[in-house]
DNA sequence: CAGAAAACGGGGTGGTCCCCCATTTCCCTC
DNA sequence: GAGGGAAATGGGGGACCACCCCGTTTTCTG
C-alpha cells in the first residue's frame, strides 16, 4: 500500500473513532472525511461501506475483549505446559484463583456482563454488531466474538453451569440486544450489566 | 378537524403502515407522502416527528396487545362481581383453565413471548419503542404497555413466580431488545420467543 | 530521474428532511 | 345558496447526505 494511502487510512480511522464516539453509528461519513482532511471519495475507496468503517473502528476493542475471554478460559483449564509466551495480564479480568481453575460459569457470565457494559457505553458498537450476529461469517468482529465466547461457553456447559442447548450465538445476541437497548441511558454500563444478569439468572426466584 | 384534514390524515396513516411494513422504521417520509398523494409539508404538519408517525401507525396494534394482557389478568384474579361488560374474548390467549385462576407466571411469560414475537415480525415496531421504554411518559405506546404489563407482573410476583425486585420496565426492555435483535432473521417470531424464554428461565439448568 | 500506476478529491447526481408562504379548500353564517 | 375568513395545502427552496466519475496529483520503481 502506498505511503499516502496508508496515511490517509489512519487519519480517516482516527477521525471516525472520534466522530462515532460523538454521534454514534449513524455519524456522517462526510463529516468524518472532512475532519480527516480527505475527500469523501477517498473515504469511500478505503471503506466501501459504513459497516466496513465501523468494523475497522471497533476491531481493536473487540480484539481486546476476545483476548480477555481467552485469558479467562486459560485460567479455567489446568494450565498445560505453556512453552509459548508468559501469560499476558488480561484487560481487567479478576485473576484466576490460586493455581487451580476458577468457576467456569462465573467466567462466562462475568465476561458477558462486561461485554454488555462495554457495548452499552461505546456508542455505535452494539448497532454495528447487530447485523452480523446471526451470520458471523460476514463480519470479522462477529467471528472473533463467537470464537472467544465459545472458549468460555464450552467449559461452562461442561461444568453444568449452562444448559447444553444454549449456543454462543444465543448469548451474544442477548447481550448485544441489551447493549443496544440500554445505550444512551444514564448509567448505561450498570444498567446493561444488571439486565444481562437478570437474563442469565432468569426472573424466577432462585432456591 | 376539517374534513380534508381528516381525510389526508387517514391517507397518510395508511400509506405509512404500508411503507413501514416494507422498509422498517427508517422508511422515507417523502415516499410516504408521495404514496398518500399529499405534499410532504402536510405530512409534517400532521405528524411533527417520525416518532409521532410511528406511534400513530402502531397505536392500534399495541392497544390490542394491551387488551390481551388485560384479559389475561382478568382471568387470574377470582372474578369479582362484574356488572360492567361480559368478558370479551382475548385476542389469541389460551382461555383460563376452568373457572379458577390460571398460572400467574405463565400468563406473564406467555404474554411477553407473544410481545417479542409480534415485535420481531412487525417491522419498525421494536425500534419505535426503543427510545421510550426508559421514560414511558414521553410515549403513549410505552405507557400503555407498562400499565398492561404491570397487571400481569403484580400477580406473578404475588404468586412467587417472579423475583420482587424485577420491574416491568426491565422486562419490557429485555423483550424489546430481543425483538430488535431478531428482527429480520428468518423465523424471527420463533427466534424471538425462544430467546425471551431463555432470558426468562435463565441459562442455568433447571433442577 | 522519468514514466507508469496508484491514489486523490472537487464537484455532480439523486436522495432526504424540514420549513416558508402563496394558494386552495372548506365551513359557517347570513 | 352565496360569500368571507380561517384552516389546510403543497410546490419549491435550503441544508444536508451517500455515492461516484474522472481529470489531477502523488508516489514508487526501474
Amino acid at each position: 500500500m502506498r505511503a499516502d494511502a496508508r496515511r490517509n487510512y489512519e487519519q480517516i480511522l482516527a477521525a471516525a473513532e472520534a466522530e462515532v464516539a460523538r454521534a454514534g453509528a449513524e455519524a456522517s461519513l462526510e463529516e468524518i472525511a472532512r475532519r480527516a482532511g480527505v475527500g469523501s471519495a477517498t473515504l469511500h475507496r478505503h471503506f466501501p461501506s459504513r459497516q466496513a468503517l465501523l468494523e475497522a473502528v471497533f476491531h481493536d476493542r473487540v480484539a481486546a475483549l476476545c483476548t480477555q475471554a481467552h485469558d479467562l478460559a486459560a485460567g479455567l483449564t489446568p494450565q498445560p505446559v505453556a512453552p509459548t509466551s508468559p501469560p499476558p495480564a488480561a484487560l481487567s479480568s479478576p485473576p484466576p484463583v490460586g493455581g487451580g481453575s476458577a468457576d467456569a460459569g462465573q467466567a462466562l457470565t462475568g465476561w458477558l456482563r462486561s461485554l454488555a457494559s462495554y457495548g452499552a457505553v461505546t456508542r455505535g458498537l452494539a448497532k454495528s454488531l447487530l447485523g452480523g450476529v446471526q451470520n458471523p461469517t460476514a463480519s470479522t468482529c462477529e467471528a472473533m466474538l463467537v470464537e472467544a465466547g465459545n472458549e468460555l461457553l464450552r467449559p461452562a456447559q461442561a461444568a453444568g453451569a449452562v444448559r447444553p442447548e444454549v449456543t454462543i450465538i444465543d448469548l451474544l445476541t442477548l447481550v448485544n440486544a441489551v447493549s443496544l437497548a440500554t445505550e444512551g441511558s444514564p448509567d448505561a454500563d450498570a444498567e446493561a450489566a444488571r439486565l444481562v444478569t437478570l437474563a442469565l439468572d432468569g426472573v424466577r426466584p432462585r432456591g
Side-chain angles (χ1 to χ4, degrees), chain A:
Chain A
M1 186 186 272
R2 250 170 60 171
D4 53 347
R6 170 155 297 276
R7 179 162 33 88
N8 280 336
Y9 182 95
E10 311 264 351
Q11 279 172 348
I12 291 171
L13 208 51
E17 275 173 35
E19 198 57 17
V20 167
R22 199 183 63 81
E26 317 282 349
S28 158
L29 301 182
E30 301 259 335
E31 179 67 18
I32 291 172
R34 227 172 288 137
R35 297 205 179 216
V38 305
S40 63
T42 299
L43 185 148
H44 280 91
R45 197 172 313 111
H46 281 295
F47 304 98
S49 70
R50 177 181 297 272
Q51 184 62 27
L53 179 57
L54 291 174
E55 290 239 350
V57 164
F58 292 123
H59 178 274
D60 287 1
R61 317 186 205 193
V62 170
L65 287 165
C66 291
T67 300
Q68 188 185 344
H70 191 78
D71 293 346
L72 279 172
L76 292 179
T77 56
Q79 198 75 7
V81 192
T84 57
S85 56
L91 251 181
S92 67
S93 58
V97 234
S101 20
D103 181 84
Q106 280 183 13
L108 176 66
T109 58
W111 184 69
L112 290 175
R113 250 192 301 275
S114 71
L115 196 55
S117 291
Y118 198 84
V121 158
T122 308
R123 296 209 58 180
L125 175 54
K127 193 160 208 171
S128 89
L129 292 179
L130 182 59
V133 179
Q134 306 291 342
N135 50 346
T137 56
S139 152
T140 308
C141 285
E142 303 300 342
M144 286 165 56
L145 284 172
V146 165
E147 191 191 328
N150 261 328
E151 287 187 50
L152 288 172
L153 176 58
R154 275 192 297 262
Q157 284 176 328
V162 174
R163 274 182 273 142
E165 74 271 19
V166 173
T167 72
I168 191 63
I169 305 272
D170 294 339
L171 296 179
L172 288 177
T173 302
L174 265 178
V175 164
N176 195 50
V178 167
S179 290
L180 203 57
T182 54
E183 182 170 325
S185 74
D187 292 327
D189 55 345
E191 187 72 2
R194 196 174 66 82
L195 284 178
V196 164
T197 302
L198 177 59
L200 295 176
D201 284 349
V203 301
R204 288 167 53 190
R206 283 279 171 187

